[in-house]
Each structure stands twice: as C-alpha cells, then as structure tokens.
C-alpha cells in the first residue's frame, strides 16, 4: 500500500478500521525517510522513539481512547523545541541542544494532545533566516522535483518531507513567507494563520512580531485538520489570541453564497496589480492567470485592486526582522546553553568567539543590521520609519478588503532556482520575498496551493491572502479548487525515477 499518497482522513480511517497500525505506518514512513536521505529533509530521526510513541498510540486506539489523528505520523520543523529530539534551528550554535520541554505545537499534536507520532525534526534555514534552505548549517534540503534545485525556505525540510512522501504532514513557521514559499517550490499546500492564532511557546524565536506557526500538507483540508489542533489560546505566549476556536473546516464542502448555481458564486477575488509587475516570471504569471480563470469558472469574479506599498515591504521587513532577531539571538552567549568556543582569554573573548564560531554568515549579517538600525542616532531613521510604513501596509490591505473577499496572486516571482545560484548575493535572495512579506507585516493569514508546473518540471504555487480570521473561508475556497483540479496530486518525477517508478 502506498500510504504516503493518502490524505489524513484516509489514514485515520485505515487506522481505525485496523487496516494498518500506527507502528506499521510509522515504520513505513521511517523506511521512506532512510531511502531518501539524499534529500537531507531531516536533521534528527530516532526510530526507537518514534516506534515507542506509535506503540502507545496503538494502545490508546485499542482502548478506544484515540482521536481522529491518533497514530498518524507528523514531522516538526527543527525550530520547535522537543524534549526527545535535538532542537538545533539548523545552527551550529544549538548543534546538540536538547530542550527540557516540548513546544506548544508539538505538545498539542503529540501523544498528550491529538495523539500523532513524531517522525523527527526537519531541516530549515538557520534560525529560519532564508528563502532557499541553503543557510542550514547542515546543508540544504533538496527539491524532490529536481535535486539540483532548492526546496525554498526557511521551512524547506518540512516541504520536502511532505512532497517526497516522507511524512503525511509537517509543521512549519512563517516570518516572511517560510511556509508558503517552500510549499510553492515543492508543490504542496501550506497555511500561515492570522498572527497570534498559534502559540509561539517553544518556537525558537526569530522575529517575534512576525513569527507564526502553521501546517504544511498535501491539501487545504489536511492543513485545516491540523490547524484545528494547534490553534488556540496559550497563556505562556503573551501574543496568543484569546478567542473561541475558528472551526477551520466548518465551511468545507459548502458553497460560497446562497445562490448556489456555482460553488464559488459571488466570491470576490482581489487581484493586486503590484503582484503582476515586472520581475514576475512569464510561466508563473500564466499559471496564476489560469488558476484565476478556473476560479471564475466556479463562479468567482476577479477585481483589480492595489497594494501600493508592496515594494516597500522588502526594506521594511529587512529592517524590522533583523532588529527583532538581533535582540532574540542575544541569548546565545556561550553561557546559558548552546555552543561555547574552546579557546578564549577572558569573558568578552568567550562571547565573541562563541558567537563568531556558532552562527552562520546570514545570521551574523542580520544581527549586524539589526544592531545597527536599533542603535542611537539610527533608530529614528530606520526602525521607527519602518514601523510607520508597516502600519500603512496593513491599512492598504484593509482598503483592498473593502472591495473583495480574498486576494490572490503568486507566492514568489519564480519557481525554485538551482542550488548555489543566488547564495552569493543576499539582496537578490531578499527580493524573492516580495509577495509574501507584507502579509506578515500586517499579521494576515495567507496560504499557498499548487496551481501549475513549469516547463522545467518545477511546481508553481498560488497565494491566497485573507482578512484576519478568515481561514475557514480560505480553506473552503482552496478545497473547491483542489476538488476540481489535480495540481496538488502531481508527484515529483525525479523521485519516481529514483525509486524505480514507484513514489
Ligand atoms: N525569507 C525570509 C527571511 O529570510 C522569511 C523567512 C521566514 O519566513 N522565516 O527572513
């Protein structure tokens, strides 16, 4: 049985109908992980621990205590701390770090929550800084559609693991696009929820006012199932929203309006002109346009809208995120935990050497930028200005939402690029984030769904952006798309060849 091709609902049924046990299913995915090690999707896998959890899940199920997701395996981005697997954030700084507790997301999905079984920790850009996974201290996770190409970042390992069928589902985090962009590059579905929906407790901090966790899976429905488990108030995170659960799947299968002649009749899709400006690859544009036509055939209408400050989202983000990062990363000082240099004369040399040796180049670059923009004399010119523009960017979205229900456009200007192609020019890499950063600055929910494949055989993602707390509607819209197209079901060709025609 090709278990990796099944949805969470199908896997749940198979477990409950005793067609397969959690131990068998977990072993199946562990085997696939070891068969595809060249993809470098995982940073820590511990067979015994996983199988132990699976045994406990089977035990719950046999006693009738299991829930819908009990016994189904899941992989966590290495930015979530875990008590039993290493939590490195793909940094040499935390190379052997074991956390004394589990992150809230891990806890909620684990045996004491939804009952899912942890397969291990997935590769990422160091401290979630990057757009290609090439900033990992442990090497890039490779795109399963073509191993010479990047997987996207920073949640590249999670995207690869889902796309290559090494896990039914994975978690990710998105500070400026890190769920949506790798999802787009690897042909899977990913959701960054409204800021504050999912607790950041136990998420290794990058830029706290932007970081948000979310699911990465094979479909919008699978992602909704996971959001139902991980969203919710947590007193241990001061930015966690205290509100009633949204019911992420509450609108699945329903039509958009009472006029149900077509499923998405009267859905108003705003198409921001700035997302289709120069720099957008022709193939990506063509795929997005044909997805929009498909939505029109389901009853939606497309309305031109404008987000005038889109260009400024890059300088604003690359001031604010490094500013927050420089503060968050000051805790890695070689004293409390993490890497400590071997040779040093005194305390200040110990700090200096530990941080110089422990952090990679991109992390150091951002600490330097962040420290600079926060320093006296520059704060007003950079940090404060950026905060003001952040507010205008958020207001521009509200103006757009006064005329439409959701926004749609590309996730990224192009498909995945070759490993090494952009890694020498950080600014070129930052420009890749043009369509994703503004939603984090505004705290809005956004998702990526597969909508095409390039001539070169690489996936293309459509981005949907909603207003605050509109995730149930976004999932409903994405599900109508995925029920009537098969982009999300396409498999990486190269992987098929690599394992003898069987993915
Ligand atoms: N590419 C962006 C950055 O490098 C976003 C990363 C993220 O969302 N974690 O900061």
């Amino acid at each position: 049985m090709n278990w990796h091709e099944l949805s969470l609902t199908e896997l749940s049924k198979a477990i409950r109908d005793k067609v397969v046990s959690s131990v068998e299913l977990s072993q199946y995915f562990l085997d696939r992980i070891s068969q595809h090690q060249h993809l470098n999707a995982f940073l820590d896998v511990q067979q015994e621990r996983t199988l132990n959890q699976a045994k406990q899940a089977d035990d719950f199920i046999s006693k009738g205590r299991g829930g819908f997701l009990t016994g189904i395996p899941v992989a966590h981005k290495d930015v979530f701390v875990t008590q039993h697997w290493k939590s490195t954030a793909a940094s040499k700084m935390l190379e052997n770090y074991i956390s004394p507790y589990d992150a809230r997301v891990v806890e909620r999905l684990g045996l004491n929550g939804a009952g899912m079984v942890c397969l291990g920790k997935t590769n990422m850009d160091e401290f979630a800084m990057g757009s290609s996974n090439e900033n990992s201290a442990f090497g890039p996770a490779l795109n399963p559609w073509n191993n010479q190409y990047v997987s996207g970042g920073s949640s590249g390992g999670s995207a690869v693991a889902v796309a290559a069928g090494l896990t039914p589902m994975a978690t990710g985090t998105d500070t400026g696009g890190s769920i949506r962009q790798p999802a787009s590059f690897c042909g899977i579905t990913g959701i960054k929820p409204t800021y504050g929906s999912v607790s950041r407790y136990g998420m290794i901090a990058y830029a706290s006012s932007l970081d948000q966790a979310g699911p990465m899976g094979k479909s919008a429905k699978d992602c909704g199932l996971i959001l139902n488990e991980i969203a919710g108030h947590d007193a241990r995170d001061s930015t966690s929203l205290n509100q009633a659960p949204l019911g992420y799947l509450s609108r699945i299968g329903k039509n958009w309006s009472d006029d149900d002649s077509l499923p998405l009749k009267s859905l108003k899709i705003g198409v921001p002109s700035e997302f289709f400006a120069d720099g957008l690859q022709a193939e990506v544009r063509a795929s997005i346009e044909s997805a929009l036509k498909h939505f029109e055939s389901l009853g939606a209408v497309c309305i031109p809208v404008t987000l005038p400050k889109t260009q400024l989202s890059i300088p604003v983000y690359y001031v604010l995120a490094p500013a927050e990062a420089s503060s968050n990363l000051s805790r890695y000082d070689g004293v409390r935990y993490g890497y400590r240099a071997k040779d040093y004369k005194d305390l200040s040399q110990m700090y200096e050497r530990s941080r110089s040796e422990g952090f990679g180049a991109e992390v150091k670059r951002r600490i330097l930028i962040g420290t600079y923009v926060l320093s006296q004399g520059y704060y007003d010119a950079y940090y404060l200005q950026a905060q003001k523009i952040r507010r205008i960017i958020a207001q521009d979205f509200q103006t757009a939402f006064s005329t439409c229900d959701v926004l749609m456009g590309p996730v990224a200007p192009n498909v995945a690029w070759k490993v090494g192609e952009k890694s020498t020019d950080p600014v070129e890499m930052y420009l890749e984030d043009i369509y994703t950063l503004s939603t984090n600055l505004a705290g809005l929910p956004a998702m990526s769904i597969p909508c095409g494949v390039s001539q070169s055989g690489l996936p293309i993602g459509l981005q949907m952006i909603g207003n605050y707390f509109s995730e149930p509607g976004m999932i409903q819209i994405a599900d109508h798309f995925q029920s009537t197209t098969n982009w999300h079901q396409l498999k990486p060709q190269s992987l098929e060849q690599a394992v003898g025609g069987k993915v």
Side-chain angles (χ1 to χ4, degrees), residues 128-131 154 173-178 206 317-318 366 433 437:
M129 299 174 190
S131 311
S154 65
T173 59
D174 192 311
T175 305
S178 281
Y206 162 18
Y317 174 91
Y318 280 100
R366 299 205 189 187
D433 301 336
L437 300 176

Side-chain angles (χ1 to χ4, degrees), residues 88 110 242 320 331 362 420:
T88 73
N242 196 352
L320 297 179
R331 73 192 69 180
E362 184 60 28

